[in-house]
Amino acid sequence: MAAFEKVYDRTNTRSVKWDMRKNVFQTDNVLPMWVADMDFQAPQAVNDALIERAKHGIYGYTTIDSDVRNAIISWISRRHSWEIKDDWLSFSPGVVASLHMAVQAFTDPGDSILIQTPVYTPFYNVIETHDRTIVKNPLRRKDHYYHIDFDDFEEKLKTGVKAFILCSPHNPVGRVWTEEELKEMARLCLKHDVLILSDEIHADLIYPGERHIPIASLSDEIAAQTITFMSPSKTFNLAGLQASYIISSDKQKRDLLDKQLNNQGLNMINTMGNIAMEAAYQHGEKWLDELRNVLQENKAYVVERLERETSKLKVTKSEGTYLLWIDCSALGLDSEGLKKFMSKTAGVGLNAGAGYGEEGEMFMRMNIACPRATLQEGVRRIVKAVNNRQ
């Protein structure tokens, strides 16, 4: 676990998380635990592969060859028991970019697209930027755990929804959907002919003992109704290398999406992203399993300390991601006051829950993918600020 204990200085590296603190929080005096990247180095095999490639010194146009594709196919098979084919794969710089392309390829201005709120902030932009209409199926919370309201889900689909953007595992609430939940969502989408756009970027970041199931792996019929978006970027801390892929078994849909990607010049990944993806999927498995244990321990640490040292904050029960969704409603602050309290009083930079929809206004999102020393300091600051306020 030593690789996950060292504290690295990320300042002056053009890090969004660390070097944009003043822009985001109006002060440099915050410990950043917000944007979804990790304060851990990528697997050594990835760094070695990148260094070796850099020695060549020429960075021309790069093809995505069979070695890269086979690395993806093998990874999906080993980690998620889903057998995909080479020609199902398309590529783009990132999942959000791919979602923009899919919305344009498969829906028209004015069409309705369903999301399950509170949800990843860019989903709103992906829909509204292209003059589509957001339809919400709010997740239901009971005992600090989120569930799907399937009655509401179907009622919303009946209104003429054209596509459903699924967040699986869910960001920010951390749910890893069960097979039963996935089957029911898929059944209703098939019944009402709604395309499933499944963002599965956090697929590998689940806690030990849990299982992520790609919704398209459930049946050939569901696969044909689904476009799946994946990437090693969250899994191996490679977000800055901009490499993602799309899985679609239906040729007609795949051709439409590829045409949209080609038209926008987003049908490729850069040289270093190409190298990193192959190396991560070929050699990063042991690193990932160690990471998952670290994240589980980090989550347990935060939950235990907050429960023991303050009654004002409650961590949502979750099965995946390195993001904790914290209920701060007992502080009695509005969303803006809560944001200022965490950044100015506690000195910790978290994501304000209001950014994920009105359902998140009393919440904050904490990134726990950091060394234990960083986590301890962040929790100490928060607990001190909360207890001083009482």
Side-chain angles (χ1 to χ4, degrees):
M1 299 294 184
F4 301 103
E5 295 174 359
K6 183 175 180 179
V7 177
Y8 295 92
D9 182 1
R10 295 186 63 191
T11 60
N12 301 314
T13 63
R14 296 176 181 151
S15 162
V16 170
K17 187 177 187 179
W18 287 83
D19 292 328
M20 293 289 288
R21 284 176 291 177
K22 191 164 187 178
N23 299 66
V24 175
F25 302 105
Q26 289 73 55
T27 175
D28 286 323
N29 190 31
V30 294
L31 185 66
M33 304 181 76
W34 61 298
V35 69
D37 68 17
M38 298 189 271
D39 291 328
F40 304 130
Q41 284 194 345
Q44 189 59 47
V46 173
N47 292 328
D48 289 344
L50 291 170
I51 291 167
E52 188 62 30
R53 179 62 181 83
K55 289 178 181 178
H56 187 258
I58 299 174
Y59 310 104
Y61 294 113
T62 304
T63 185
I64 303 168
D65 62 15
S66 60
D67 289 341
V68 178
R69 291 171 175 271
N70 288 338
I72 295 169
I73 293 167
S74 178
W75 181 265
I76 298 298
S77 175
R78 295 197 314 275
R79 302 297 295 197
H80 304 298
S81 302
W82 184 21
E83 305 304 323
I84 65 171
K85 298 179 181 178
D86 181 287
D87 62 0
W88 294 3
L89 292 170
S90 304
F91 295 85
S92 89
V95 166
V96 172
S98 297
L99 285 169
H100 276 283
M101 296 301 99
V103 165
Q104 294 178 80
F106 299 114
T107 66
D108 296 312
D111 282 350
S112 296
I113 299 176
L114 184 107
I115 56 176
Q116 294 174 310
T117 55
V119 75
Y120 183 47
T121 305
F123 282 13
Y124 296 91
N125 181 256
V126 160
I127 297 168
E128 294 177 323
T129 294
H130 306 294
D131 299 318
R132 276 61 168 174
T133 301
I134 293 173
V135 175
K136 296 182 180 181
N137 168 230
L139 298 174
R140 301 303 180 194
R141 188 167 63 100
K142 182 179 180 182
D143 297 327
H144 304 289
Y145 191 67
Y146 282 86
H147 306 267
I148 299 168
D149 182 341
F150 282 108
D151 290 336
D152 180 73
F153 187 88
E154 182 166 25
E155 286 303 312
K156 296 296 173 57
L157 294 187
K158 287 179 181 178
T159 65
V161 166
K162 292 295 181 66
F164 161 45
I165 304 180
L166 170 64
C167 198
S168 178
H170 192 281
N171 172 13
V173 310
R175 279 299 318 277
V176 175
W177 305 116
T178 65
E179 184 173 358
E180 292 72 24
E181 288 169 320
L182 292 166
K183 283 183 175 179
E184 182 62 7
M185 285 188 283
R187 183 186 73 80
L188 292 171
C189 286
L190 286 168
K191 177 180 177 181
H192 297 284
D193 193 23
V194 173
L195 178 67
I196 302 169
L197 304 175
S198 189
D199 175 356
E200 303 190 20
I201 197 169
H202 292 277
D204 299 311
L205 295 170
I206 55 175
Y207 296 120
E210 303 293 342
R211 179 191 173 203
H212 170 78
I213 303 171
I215 192 168
S217 71
L218 294 173
S219 75
D220 291 343
E221 185 182 18
I222 295 169
Q225 191 77 0
T226 303
I227 311 293
T228 303
F229 306 87
M230 288 183 160
S231 171
S233 60
K234 295 289 187 251
T235 307
F236 298 104
N237 208 23
L238 308 175
L241 293 179
Q242 298 182 315
S244 79
Y245 53 95
I246 306 158
I247 306 171
S248 44
S249 64
D250 183 88
K251 185 179 186 304
Q252 184 177 8
K253 292 184 178 69
R254 188 170 63 251
D255 287 346
L256 280 173
L257 184 55
D258 284 344
K259 181 179 179 181
Q260 188 68 38
L261 288 164
N262 291 338
N263 288 346
Q264 299 292 331
L266 293 173
N267 58 327
M268 62 181 71
I269 58 178
N270 70 68
T271 301
M272 292 310 198
N274 200 338
I275 294 292
M277 178 148 48
E278 180 186 11
Y281 283 157
Q282 286 185 338
H283 308 294
E285 205 147 4
K286 181 181 177 182
W287 182 95
L288 174 59
D289 288 338
E290 290 178 357
L291 169 69
R292 292 168 64 214
N293 288 326
V294 168
L295 296 178
Q296 186 177 53
E297 292 169 4
N298 280 0
K299 176 188 172 184
Y301 174 83
V302 175
V303 171
E304 191 277 330
R305 280 203 62 183
L306 292 185
E307 288 183 350
R308 174 167 49 87
E309 299 182 36
T310 177
S311 61
K312 299 293 186 181
L313 305 177
K314 298 295 182 182
V315 178
T316 297
K317 298 172 186 176
S318 60
E319 299 95 2
T321 82
Y322 51 70
L323 307 164
L324 298 187
W325 189 236
I326 304 175
D327 182 354
C328 306
S329 56
L331 292 176
L333 298 168
D334 62 20
S335 58
E336 189 59 31
L338 179 57
K339 180 180 177 181
K340 289 180 179 178
F341 174 78
M342 287 297 178
S343 61
K344 302 293 176 61
T345 306
V348 179
L350 306 179
N351 285 104
Y356 302 86
E358 61 184 351
E359 300 85 356
E361 288 183 351
M362 295 297 101
F363 290 78
M364 299 295 285
R365 192 188 78 167
M366 172 187 278
N367 181 342
I368 60 169
C370 58
R372 179 59 64 91
T374 303
L375 190 70
Q376 289 173 337
E377 176 61 16
V379 174
R380 183 195 69 78
R381 293 185 185 192
I382 292 171
V383 167
K384 180 181 178 181
V386 169
N387 289 340
N388 284 346
R389 190 174 183 277
Q390 294 175 340

